[in-house]
PDB file of all heavy atoms in Angstrom:
ATOM      1  N   GLU L  26       7.374  10.321 -24.115  1.00 93.00           N
ATOM      2  CA  GLU L  26       6.197   9.780 -23.441  1.00 93.00           C
ATOM      3  C   GLU L  26       5.113  10.822 -23.224  1.00 93.00           C
ATOM      4  O   GLU L  26       3.935  10.496 -23.137  1.00 93.00           O
ATOM      5  CB  GLU L  26       6.611   9.162 -22.102  1.00 93.00           C
ATOM      6  CG  GLU L  26       5.515   8.359 -21.443  1.00 93.00           C
ATOM      7  CD  GLU L  26       6.053   7.343 -20.455  1.00 93.00           C
ATOM      8  OE1 GLU L  26       7.123   6.758 -20.709  1.00 93.00           O
ATOM      9  OE2 GLU L  26       5.385   7.142 -19.434  1.00 93.00           O
ATOM     10  N   THR L 110      11.100   7.491 -24.501  1.00 95.00           N
ATOM     11  CA  THR L 110      10.081   7.393 -23.454  1.00 95.00           C
ATOM     12  C   THR L 110      10.757   7.031 -22.132  1.00 95.00           C
ATOM     13  O   THR L 110      11.968   6.823 -22.077  1.00 95.00           O
ATOM     14  CB  THR L 110       9.032   6.344 -23.833  1.00 95.00           C
ATOM     15  OG1 THR L 110       9.716   5.153 -24.278  1.00 95.00           O
ATOM     16  CG2 THR L 110       8.153   6.838 -24.958  1.00 95.00           C
ATOM     17  N   ASP L 111       9.965   6.937 -21.047  1.00 91.00           N
ATOM     18  CA  ASP L 111      10.532   6.626 -19.733  1.00 91.00           C
ATOM     19  C   ASP L 111      11.349   5.345 -19.790  1.00 91.00           C
ATOM     20  O   ASP L 111      11.115   4.461 -20.627  1.00 91.00           O
ATOM     21  CB  ASP L 111       9.419   6.488 -18.684  1.00 91.00           C
ATOM     22  CG  ASP L 111       8.939   7.845 -18.177  1.00 91.00           C
ATOM     23  OD1 ASP L 111       9.569   8.860 -18.520  1.00 91.00           O
ATOM     24  OD2 ASP L 111       7.938   7.883 -17.447  1.00 91.00           O
ATOM     25  N   CYS L 112      12.278   5.242 -18.837  1.00 89.00           N
ATOM     26  CA  CYS L 112      13.282   4.180 -18.912  1.00 89.00           C
ATOM     27  C   CYS L 112      12.814   2.851 -18.328  1.00 89.00           C
ATOM     28  O   CYS L 112      13.625   1.939 -18.162  1.00 89.00           O
ATOM     29  CB  CYS L 112      14.550   4.628 -18.184  1.00 89.00           C
ATOM     30  SG  CYS L 112      14.280   5.037 -16.439  1.00 89.00           S
ATOM     31  N   ASP L 113      11.529   2.720 -18.025  1.00 88.00           N
ATOM     32  CA  ASP L 113      11.064   1.476 -17.424  1.00 88.00           C
ATOM     33  C   ASP L 113      10.298   0.629 -18.431  1.00 88.00           C
ATOM     34  O   ASP L 113      10.183   0.963 -19.608  1.00 88.00           O
ATOM     35  CB  ASP L 113      10.214   1.761 -16.181  1.00 88.00           C
ATOM     36  CG  ASP L 113       8.997   2.623 -16.502  1.00 88.00           C
ATOM     37  OD1 ASP L 113       8.790   2.961 -17.688  1.00 88.00           O
ATOM     38  OD2 ASP L 113       8.254   2.968 -15.565  1.00 88.00           O
ATOM     39  N   ARG L 114       9.733  -0.464 -17.929  1.00 89.00           N
ATOM     40  CA  ARG L 114       8.998  -1.413 -18.770  1.00 89.00           C
ATOM     41  C   ARG L 114       7.802  -0.748 -19.439  1.00 89.00           C
ATOM     42  O   ARG L 114       7.534  -0.959 -20.618  1.00 89.00           O
ATOM     43  CB  ARG L 114       8.553  -2.588 -17.881  1.00 89.00           C
ATOM     44  CG  ARG L 114       7.744  -3.635 -18.564  1.00 89.00           C
ATOM     45  CD  ARG L 114       7.601  -4.842 -17.652  1.00 89.00           C
ATOM     46  NE  ARG L 114       7.311  -4.456 -16.282  1.00 89.00           N
ATOM     47  CZ  ARG L 114       7.549  -5.223 -15.212  1.00 89.00           C
ATOM     48  NH1 ARG L 114       8.081  -6.402 -15.356  1.00 89.00           N
ATOM     49  NH2 ARG L 114       7.240  -4.809 -14.000  1.00 89.00           N
ATOM     50  N   GLU L 115       7.077   0.081 -18.682  1.00 91.00           N
ATOM     51  CA  GLU L 115       5.899   0.733 -19.232  1.00 91.00           C
ATOM     52  C   GLU L 115       6.289   1.745 -20.307  1.00 91.00           C
ATOM     53  O   GLU L 115       5.610   1.884 -21.325  1.00 91.00           O
ATOM     54  CB  GLU L 115       5.108   1.414 -18.114  1.00 91.00           C
ATOM     55  CG  GLU L 115       3.649   1.647 -18.423  1.00 91.00           C
ATOM     56  CD  GLU L 115       2.863   0.354 -18.558  1.00 91.00           C
ATOM     57  OE1 GLU L 115       3.351  -0.707 -18.120  1.00 91.00           O
ATOM     58  OE2 GLU L 115       1.748   0.399 -19.103  1.00 91.00           O
ATOM     59  N   GLY L 116       7.379   2.457 -20.088  1.00 93.00           N
ATOM     60  CA  GLY L 116       7.856   3.397 -21.102  1.00 93.00           C
ATOM     61  C   GLY L 116       8.237   2.693 -22.388  1.00 93.00           C
ATOM     62  O   GLY L 116       7.985   3.188 -23.493  1.00 93.00           O
ATOM     63  N   GLN L 117       8.862   1.527 -22.258  1.00 95.00           N
ATOM     64  CA  GLN L 117       9.207   0.735 -23.443  1.00 95.00           C
ATOM     65  C   GLN L 117       7.955   0.363 -24.219  1.00 95.00           C
ATOM     66  O   GLN L 117       7.914   0.441 -25.452  1.00 95.00           O
ATOM     67  CB  GLN L 117       9.960  -0.522 -23.011  1.00 95.00           C
ATOM     68  CG  GLN L 117      10.495  -1.361 -24.156  1.00 95.00           C
ATOM     69  CD  GLN L 117      11.684  -0.717 -24.849  1.00 95.00           C
ATOM     70  OE1 GLN L 117      12.442   0.018 -24.226  1.00 95.00           O
ATOM     71  NE2 GLN L 117      11.848  -0.983 -26.138  1.00 95.00           N
ATOM     72  N   LEU L 118       6.902  -0.040 -23.491  1.00 95.00           N
ATOM     73  CA  LEU L 118       5.655  -0.439 -24.144  1.00 95.00           C
ATOM     74  C   LEU L 118       4.989   0.745 -24.834  1.00 95.00           C
ATOM     75  O   LEU L 118       4.517   0.626 -25.978  1.00 95.00           O
ATOM     76  CB  LEU L 118       4.715  -1.052 -23.101  1.00 95.00           C
ATOM     77  CG  LEU L 118       3.339  -1.499 -23.597  1.00 95.00           C
ATOM     78  CD1 LEU L 118       3.480  -2.597 -24.641  1.00 95.00           C
ATOM     79  CD2 LEU L 118       2.485  -1.987 -22.430  1.00 95.00           C
ATOM     80  N   ILE L 119       4.940   1.887 -24.157  1.00 95.00           N
ATOM     81  CA  ILE L 119       4.263   3.057 -24.721  1.00 95.00           C
ATOM     82  C   ILE L 119       4.849   3.454 -26.063  1.00 95.00           C
ATOM     83  O   ILE L 119       4.115   3.782 -27.010  1.00 95.00           O
ATOM     84  CB  ILE L 119       4.327   4.231 -23.712  1.00 95.00           C
ATOM     85  CG1 ILE L 119       3.362   3.974 -22.550  1.00 95.00           C
ATOM     86  CG2 ILE L 119       3.998   5.565 -24.396  1.00 95.00           C
ATOM     87  CD1 ILE L 119       3.510   4.951 -21.404  1.00 95.00           C
ATOM     88  N   GLY L 120       6.171   3.412 -26.184  1.00 96.00           N
ATOM     89  CA  GLY L 120       6.800   3.789 -27.446  1.00 96.00           C
ATOM     90  C   GLY L 120       6.743   2.700 -28.498  1.00 96.00           C
ATOM     91  O   GLY L 120       6.348   2.935 -29.645  1.00 96.00           O
ATOM     92  N   GLN L 121       7.117   1.495 -28.109  1.00 96.00           N
ATOM     93  CA  GLN L 121       7.267   0.444 -29.111  1.00 96.00           C
ATOM     94  C   GLN L 121       5.929  -0.055 -29.641  1.00 96.00           C
ATOM     95  O   GLN L 121       5.841  -0.490 -30.800  1.00 96.00           O
ATOM     96  CB  GLN L 121       8.081  -0.716 -28.531  1.00 96.00           C
ATOM     97  CG  GLN L 121       8.495  -1.737 -29.591  1.00 96.00           C
ATOM     98  CD  GLN L 121       9.522  -2.721 -29.075  1.00 96.00           C
ATOM     99  OE1 GLN L 121      10.198  -2.469 -28.076  1.00 96.00           O
ATOM    100  NE2 GLN L 121       9.656  -3.854 -29.742  1.00 96.00           N
ATOM    101  N   ARG L 135      17.103   3.121 -28.912  1.00 97.00           N
ATOM    102  CA  ARG L 135      16.490   3.337 -27.594  1.00 97.00           C
ATOM    103  C   ARG L 135      17.343   4.292 -26.770  1.00 97.00           C
ATOM    104  O   ARG L 135      18.541   4.066 -26.583  1.00 97.00           O
ATOM    105  CB  ARG L 135      16.347   2.002 -26.850  1.00 97.00           C
ATOM    106  CG  ARG L 135      15.601   2.106 -25.516  1.00 97.00           C
ATOM    107  CD  ARG L 135      14.163   2.516 -25.712  1.00 97.00           C
ATOM    108  NE  ARG L 135      13.346   2.340 -24.511  1.00 97.00           N
ATOM    109  CZ  ARG L 135      12.862   3.336 -23.769  1.00 97.00           C
ATOM    110  NH1 ARG L 135      13.144   4.588 -24.099  1.00 97.00           N
ATOM    111  NH2 ARG L 135      12.104   3.097 -22.722  1.00 97.00           N
ATOM    112  N   TYR L 321      14.949   9.357 -11.725  1.00 93.00           N
ATOM    113  CA  TYR L 321      13.645   8.769 -12.035  1.00 93.00           C
ATOM    114  C   TYR L 321      12.997   8.199 -10.775  1.00 93.00           C
ATOM    115  O   TYR L 321      13.596   7.373 -10.068  1.00 93.00           O
ATOM    116  CB  TYR L 321      13.830   7.670 -13.079  1.00 93.00           C
ATOM    117  CG  TYR L 321      12.540   7.146 -13.667  1.00 93.00           C
ATOM    118  CD1 TYR L 321      11.761   7.956 -14.480  1.00 93.00           C
ATOM    119  CD2 TYR L 321      12.110   5.857 -13.406  1.00 93.00           C
ATOM    120  CE1 TYR L 321      10.580   7.475 -15.033  1.00 93.00           C
ATOM    121  CE2 TYR L 321      10.939   5.366 -13.953  1.00 93.00           C
ATOM    122  CZ  TYR L 321      10.174   6.192 -14.758  1.00 93.00           C
ATOM    123  OH  TYR L 321       9.006   5.720 -15.293  1.00 93.00           O
TER     124      TYR L 321
END
Side-chain angles (χ1 to χ4, degrees):
E26 190 158 324
T110 47
D111 280 352
C112 59
D113 59 2
R114 178 169 43 202
E115 203 66 16
Q117 186 72 29
L118 179 62
I119 286 171
Q121 190 168 341
R135 185 65 167 110
Y321 190 68

